[in-house]
Amino acid sequence: MGRTIGHPLHHNDGMTIRVGLIGAGNIGTSHARDLAFAVSGAAVSAVFDADAERAHDLASEVGAIPFARADDLIGSPDVDAVLIASPDDAHAEQALACLAAGKPTLCEKPLAPEESDALRVVEAEVAGGRRLIMMGFMRRFDPGYSSLKAELGASGIGEPLIVNNIHRNMSAPYGLASERTLTNMVIHEFDINRWLLDEEYASVQVLTGRSGPYTPDGERDPLLVILQTTSGVLVEIEAFVNARYGYEVICRVTGSEGSAVMGDGSYVTRSARGHRGQAVPELWLGRFADAYRLQLQSWIDQLSGRGRPAGASAWDGYVATIVANRAIQALRSGVRIGVDLPERPPLYT
Ligand SMILES: NC(=O)c1ccc[n+]([C@@H]2O[C@H](COP(=O)([O-])OP(=O)(O)OC[C@H]3O[C@@H](n4cnc5c(N)ncnc54)[C@H](O)[C@@H]3O)[C@@H](O)[C@H]2O)c1
């Protein structure tokens, strides 16, 4: 179904940012509901999905118009900004189309699984001379990670020396294979540890061990990723996509003066029937609900000229993809791989 010409649901009132959504799956639906019902100054004006019925259903729910083609949505005068929530392999081409149309874009992670595709997006943005892309690395907006970052430095736990990260899913999302685990899932840790420590990685190594009964033949799960930053901080990431018990993310930073850990701090402890404990969320949507909403509010505020620049850039997306690709080399070869980054263009300084 195409756009209904002459009957836009959302007029340009100059105060509302009208977002066009590409990809109406798990996260696209969550983002659309947040934008329509929880974020101020925003509306969802258009939805495209490769599955026309999905686009139609979500569009009806949030008061948007379903589009039959991504390019038409991106070019629509009723779309001020675009949110890309399609599968990983579609992000780069869609981001390039948004840049060509001059539309601000929030792109879900990863910017691209392939380094060369991520580079094309960065080069196009640099050529345009304007930062239009924000990456959906929403952990940068998570209250837990923000509190943890505040602990780093002289007044908290001193100089960080080692970071332990745990990232577990109940079962492999999208049937993730081991290498895709690095570009799709562990990419969150590649970004957030770099943000927490405010420095780049120098090397990466990936260890595999015994896999559990739910791991498909030929795949390796869990993975233990060990990075070293340029100043020598050790960053350890344990990724386990078939953990069965729930979704869990933990980050512990140990420094020269103490240690700080971020886990599931926002969940209550229930005591009943002889047991004391907490529910474990099944999905990222439960654990990071606040982060997703805060990220969207920040994006909309920035586009409305009300908020300070915040969030990850296309450059951050490119760096995370480079690190993930080096990690794939490390997984394949079993040896430690150096991480050499290209020079950061002035647009991103
Ligand atoms: N930031 C986060 O924490 C987070 C969480 C979940 C997903 N994601 C990312 O969001 C993206 C979508 O994940 P999901 O869990 O919603 O997946 P999903 O499979 O639930 O949804 C993907 C949707 O995209 C549609 N689609 C397929 N090809 C398309 C195309 N070329 N253009 C437009 N739509 C297309 C599918 O029909 C489906 O509705 C992935 O890239 C994933 O990495 C990020």
Side-chain angles (χ1 to χ4, degrees), residues 236-305:
E236 190 188 39
I237 305 163
E238 181 198 303
F240 188 16
V241 292
N242 284 293
R244 294 341 248 196
Y245 69 88
Y247 178 81
E248 186 166 48
V249 167
I250 300 173
C251 182
R252 177 189 294 276
V253 185
T254 301
S256 52
E257 308 293 331
S259 175
V261 64
M262 184 230 53
D264 291 336
S266 55
Y267 294 92
V268 296
T269 301
R270 180 203 305 128
S271 300
R273 292 179 288 280
H275 289 278
R276 174 171 298 147
Q278 301 175 339
V280 183
E282 283 182 32
L283 275 178
W284 53 86
L285 285 171
R287 167 61 184 88
F288 286 111
D290 290 339
Y292 293 124
R293 196 187 63 258
L294 292 167
Q295 170 181 255
L296 288 169
Q297 188 66 67
S298 170
W299 183 51
I300 294 298
D301 288 349
Q302 291 174 57
L303 297 185
S304 321

Side-chain angles (χ1 to χ4, degrees), residues 62-78:
V62 298
I65 295 170
F67 275 64
R69 286 167 31 95
D71 283 348
D72 293 343
L73 176 148
I74 292 167
S76 166
D78 297 328

Side-chain angles (χ1 to χ4, degrees), residues 140-174:
R140 293 179 179 220
F141 295 90
D142 178 61
Y145 275 109
S146 300
S147 304
L148 188 59
K149 191 167 170 65
E151 293 295 326
L152 305 186
S155 60
I157 60 168
E159 291 292 316
L161 302 176
I162 183 164
V163 191
N164 310 101
N165 298 268
I166 284 183
H167 189 166
R168 296 196 179 126
N169 275 283
M170 275 182 88
S171 59
Y174 331 106

Side-chain angles (χ1 to χ4, degrees), residues 22-29 31 48-51 54 70 84-91 94 108-110 136-138 174 184 188 247 284-285 288 292 295:
I22 300 179
N26 282 317
I27 198 76
T29 299
H31 286 329
F48 167 73
D49 192 287
D51 178 336
R54 272 196 185 181
I84 299 175
S86 52
D88 298 5
D89 291 310
H91 294 179
Q94 290 169 346
E108 264 307 342
K109 41 59 51 171
F137 285 125
M138 80 300 173
Y174 331 106
N184 177 284
H188 273 303
Y247 178 81
W284 53 86
L285 285 171
F288 286 111
Y292 293 124
Q295 170 181 255

Side-chain angles (χ1 to χ4, degrees), residues 189-241:
E189 272 78 18
F190 294 146
D191 180 69
I192 203 68
N193 283 272
R194 181 175 168 261
W195 174 81
L196 272 176
L197 298 169
D198 205 13
E199 60 172 321
E200 304 293 357
Y201 304 114
S203 68
V204 60
Q205 183 172 7
V206 180
L207 303 183
T208 58
R210 181 175 167 182
S211 294
Y214 304 104
T215 304
D217 285 348
E219 300 300 334
R220 313 304 291 269
D221 184 44
L223 299 176
L224 185 57
V225 181
I226 302 167
L227 300 123
Q228 199 154 22
T229 66
T230 49
S231 79
V233 178
L234 288 169
V235 175
E236 190 188 39
I237 305 163
E238 181 198 303
F240 188 16
V241 292

Side-chain angles (χ1 to χ4, degrees), residues 3 21 25 57 71 95 99 135 155 164 186 194 255 274 299 313 342:
R3 172 177 167 257
L21 172 73
D57 289 351
D71 283 348
L99 288 175
M135 286 302 304
S155 60
N164 310 101
V186 186
R194 181 175 168 261
W299 183 51
S313 65

